[in-house]
Amino acid sequence: DRPASPIPWPLPAPVRPDYWGPSQIGDAIMALNAVSDEPITLIVDSPGGDIFTGFTLYDLIRMSRAPITTIGMFVASMAATILAAGHRRLLLPHSTVMLHLPEQQFRQGTSMNVEDAKIMTKLLEDSKNELVNVYIQRGATANLKGGSTERQIRAQIMKDINREYWLTAEQAVAYGLADAVISPEELYA
């Protein structure tokens, strides 16, 4: 049960709102959906990027009629959320996954008044909560044993992402961020 051949547009580094942003990859996914329900493979090799752009791409992947397999290579920050969007989520044996708190650059080189800073702080807090919601919805267990409540899982993820949290491919599967580790030989067998 191998995934379909990769689409010719791997997720680039970083996730950004420009030529290779979500609208172009989303357009490719929707175009493929228009001609076939055949599975789509999206290779995720990215240090992350803009959280709002990443959430848009996450939504576009989840809306695909054709099942999308995400294959992670170097998957950091927002790219981990995009990996999690896949209907089937795979990692190569030497893949690395990194989670952390959301960051956002709002106004490069400009100052911000107190009230705007409060708005930005709330926006980042909301984004953090949504990020954790996505991980839980997509099966993250944070390495907690069966019988753990969603509240316990949420608390553990919040603790883990307080600083950069690095995982090997096997650790990411145990954490619930991916379904399996697959070798290149298995991928194209």
Side-chain angles (χ1 to χ4, degrees), residues 83 89-92 95 97 99 135 138-146 148 153 156-157 160 165-181:
L83 173 73
R89 307 159 308 160
L90 305 173
L91 291 167
L92 298 178
S95 296
V97 176
L99 308 175
Y135 291 146
R138 300 298 302 138
T141 61
N143 279 331
L144 298 177
K145 303 296 180 206
S148 298
I153 294 168
Q156 184 62 51
I157 294 172
D160 292 341
Y165 189 70
W166 293 90
L167 302 113
T168 65
E170 291 291 342
Q171 290 168 334
V173 170
Y175 202 89
L177 296 171
D179 301 314
V181 175

Side-chain angles (χ1 to χ4, degrees), residues 176-187:
L177 296 171
D179 301 314
V181 175
I182 188 166
S183 70
E185 295 78 22
E186 293 170 310
L187 183 61

Side-chain angles (χ1 to χ4, degrees), residues 2-8 32 38-43 69 71 187-188:
R2 72 182 186 95
S5 298
I7 63 171
L32 289 169
E38 290 296 312
I40 299 168
T41 300
L42 178 65
I43 297 176
T69 296
I71 301 174
L187 183 61
Y188 295 108

Side-chain angles (χ1 to χ4, degrees), residues 127-143:
S127 296
K128 175 181 73 173
N129 289 326
E130 185 56 26
L131 196 62
V132 173
N133 288 341
V134 163
Y135 291 146
I136 292 170
Q137 289 165 3
R138 300 298 302 138
T141 61
N143 279 331

